[in-house]
Amino acid sequence: MLLCACHKPMKIICATSIPFAGEVFGTLGETRILDPHQITSEVTGDADILIARSTLKINASLLEGSRVKFAGTCTIGHDHMDIAWLAKNGVAWTAAPGCNANSVAEYIVAALLCLAKRHGLQLRDKTIGIIGVGNVGSLVLKKAKALGMRVLLNDPPLFEASGENAYRPLDETLAGSDIITLHTPLAKSGKFPTYHLAGNEFFSRLKPGCILINAARGPVVDSDAFLDARSKKIVSHAVIDCWEGEPAFRPDVMESADIGTAHIAGYSFEGRVMGTVHVYRELCKFLGVEPKFTLDALLPPPPVPEIRIDAASLSEEEALASIVSRVYDIGADDRLLRETASADSAARGKSFELLRKNYPVRREFRFTRVILRNAEISLAERLQKLQFQVISE
């Protein structure tokens, strides 16, 4: 256990939402694990390290006058952290970019296959427009191609940096896509703001009957503009994981979504654990110590280690939908959130947070073996591109 400058054991505050917080950070100091609502300025006053997720605002009101010198968020985004204040006050910080990117990409696959089955759509040869092609969007690209989809990419910062023609203008992407999926950070200012990016003008440029997916940040979509576009059939179907005003999401937006979930797209077991691992390694670097902890022995077995399927009477998309839904039933997450939509604002918010806090183990596709019978080689190849283990009999 390391000592702080006062020669006492280093004090580390961790949110309860951090998987294996005690086992991991307890190797470095005296670790106290608290619900985010309990992490106040009084609690952080004598702490050296703060580790949290996006439900905790890390800013002057929380840390002013404390001795915290390192703040970490086990999430890809950091819009809940006042980076300018941290830098000005000598507080080192880290986020965990990319830690749950594959989890979000698999969520998109599950959502697409669920919508296709529910509404009699065929994904092959549909065009999906990916807005934001960073850690998440680049993986959505690969998985969309595995589903046989055409892809349009829009990412102004990447286009400016690279000049690559693969990144198309927003107008072209919106007009040419059957499905739009959002994967941008939230930026309210700067050269490339994304706050209310999907507003009235955005929706007016969409291909009529487009499907909209938001698994980025809630305020990237203007809720009123979305409802207007939905009422006019500009948006035919919608998948919403991130909400304006969350945790107290709007019931009218939920009612207009085909699939609505409690900001859990990135909540695969691996996505959450890798956030812990990333922040732990960055903290070790900050402290000048070698990272020694490994999570290998703590990983639970996959709930669905093996799936056997006879594809003789199924189309490839039907087979894919059946396999994916057995590993991740996105409809179950939708039903759990939808059940809370009629409650008052405070109760909705509390239920939203509880769904995230108590989220069950969801392992990623690569931990499930699929045994195929009577299947074309192309189905096996598509499953392998989605990272399933595949055996053909």
Side-chain angles (χ1 to χ4, degrees):
M1 186 172 290
L2 301 179
L3 301 180
C4 66
C6 60
H7 304 291
K8 294 180 180 180
M10 188 172 349
K11 289 189 177 181
I12 303 173
I13 302 294
C14 289
T16 50
S17 53
I18 310 297
F20 301 122
E23 294 89 340
V24 175
F25 296 104
T27 62
L28 297 174
E30 179 185 305
T31 300
R32 189 177 177 192
I33 302 173
L34 299 171
D35 185 278
H37 296 297
Q38 297 176 303
I39 301 176
T40 63
S41 57
E42 289 77 18
V43 169
T44 62
D46 64 347
D48 302 289
I49 309 294
L50 175 64
I51 312 294
R53 291 181 68 87
S54 57
T55 53
L56 184 68
K57 299 291 185 183
I58 301 175
N59 51 26
S61 63
L62 181 66
L63 298 182
E64 186 84 67
S66 78
R67 67 176 197 224
V68 169
K69 289 301 178 185
F70 181 96
T73 178
C74 300
T75 58
I76 60 174
H78 53 76
D79 46 277
H80 56 292
M81 305 177 82
D82 187 337
I83 302 305
W85 185 90
L86 294 175
K88 182 179 178 181
N89 288 273
V91 181
W93 68 276
T94 188
C99 68
N100 64 358
N102 194 60
S103 176
V104 178
E106 290 188 356
Y107 173 96
I108 301 301
V109 170
L112 289 170
L113 289 168
C114 181
L115 285 180
K117 182 179 180 180
R118 186 179 294 178
H119 298 291
L121 308 174
Q122 181 174 307
L123 297 177
R124 180 179 284 279
D125 297 328
K126 286 281 192 299
T127 298
I128 184 169
I130 302 173
I131 312 296
V133 197
N135 290 309
V136 176
S138 58
L139 289 180
V140 173
L141 165 64
K142 292 179 180 179
K143 295 183 193 303
K145 287 185 174 181
L147 294 174
M149 305 179 76
R150 300 189 182 100
V151 179
L152 287 174
L153 305 176
N154 171 258
D155 195 311
L158 283 179
F159 176 72
E160 182 177 80
S162 69
E164 292 184 13
N165 287 330
Y167 303 115
R168 309 308 303 161
L170 183 61
D171 282 355
E172 179 183 329
T173 305
L174 297 181
S177 299
D178 304 296
I179 301 160
I180 290 290
T181 184
L182 301 168
H183 300 290
T184 67
L186 178 62
K188 292 188 176 182
S189 60
K191 191 172 183 180
F192 303 107
T194 59
Y195 177 77
H196 281 187
L197 171 68
N200 288 317
E201 185 179 353
F202 177 100
F203 287 115
S204 72
R205 291 180 283 172
L206 277 183
K207 183 177 182 179
C210 186
I211 293 169
L212 178 74
I213 304 173
N214 184 14
R217 285 290 184 267
V220 170
V221 176
D222 179 333
S223 297
D224 291 327
F226 161 71
L227 290 173
D228 184 60
R230 191 79 171 87
S231 69
K232 294 174 180 176
K233 310 297 183 185
I234 295 170
V235 173
S236 61
H237 308 295
V239 177
I240 301 176
D241 183 59
C242 304
W243 308 75
E244 269 200 297
E246 65 178 60
F249 64 93
R250 285 174 54 170
D252 53 351
V253 176
M254 181 73 191
E255 186 178 349
S256 294
D258 288 71
I259 298 171
T261 53
H263 202 156
I264 47 72
Y267 265 40
S268 72
F269 187 82
E270 288 72 30
R272 298 180 74 189
V273 166
M274 288 311 297
T276 304
V277 170
H278 178 91
V279 172
Y280 165 71
R281 289 173 178 165
E282 289 300 307
L283 177 55
C284 288
K285 190 185 299 183
F286 172 76
L287 296 172
V289 300
E290 284 293 318
K292 297 179 180 179
F293 190 86
T294 174
L295 287 167
D296 294 347
L298 298 175
L299 298 180
V304 187
E306 183 176 289
I307 294 172
R308 290 179 175 269
I309 187 165
D310 189 333
S313 61
L314 301 173
S315 70
E316 287 196 4
E317 284 193 13
E318 287 172 335
L320 287 170
S322 175
I323 292 164
V324 167
S325 66
R326 291 192 223 178
V327 176
Y328 173 39
D329 181 6
I330 194 172
D333 281 339
D334 170 75
R335 289 188 293 274
L336 287 170
L337 185 62
R338 202 168 292 273
E339 287 171 359
T340 72
S342 61
D344 62 41
S345 178
R348 286 198 310 277
K350 184 176 181 180
S351 296
F352 191 98
E353 291 183 330
L354 285 173
L355 286 173
R356 302 185 80 208
K357 181 179 179 180
N358 301 322
Y359 196 68
V361 171
R362 175 179 118 215
R363 302 300 301 273
E364 294 181 4
F365 296 166
R366 65 184 180 275
F367 296 99
T368 295
R369 179 172 58 254
V370 179
I371 300 175
L372 295 173
R373 293 189 63 195
N374 300 312
E376 298 291 335
I377 293 175
S378 56
L379 175 59
E381 291 174 343
R382 292 169 82 179
L383 285 166
Q384 288 170 338
K385 288 177 181 177
L386 292 174
Q387 295 189 299
F388 285 98
Q389 305 168 43
V390 182
I391 298 173
S392 296
E393 291 186 338

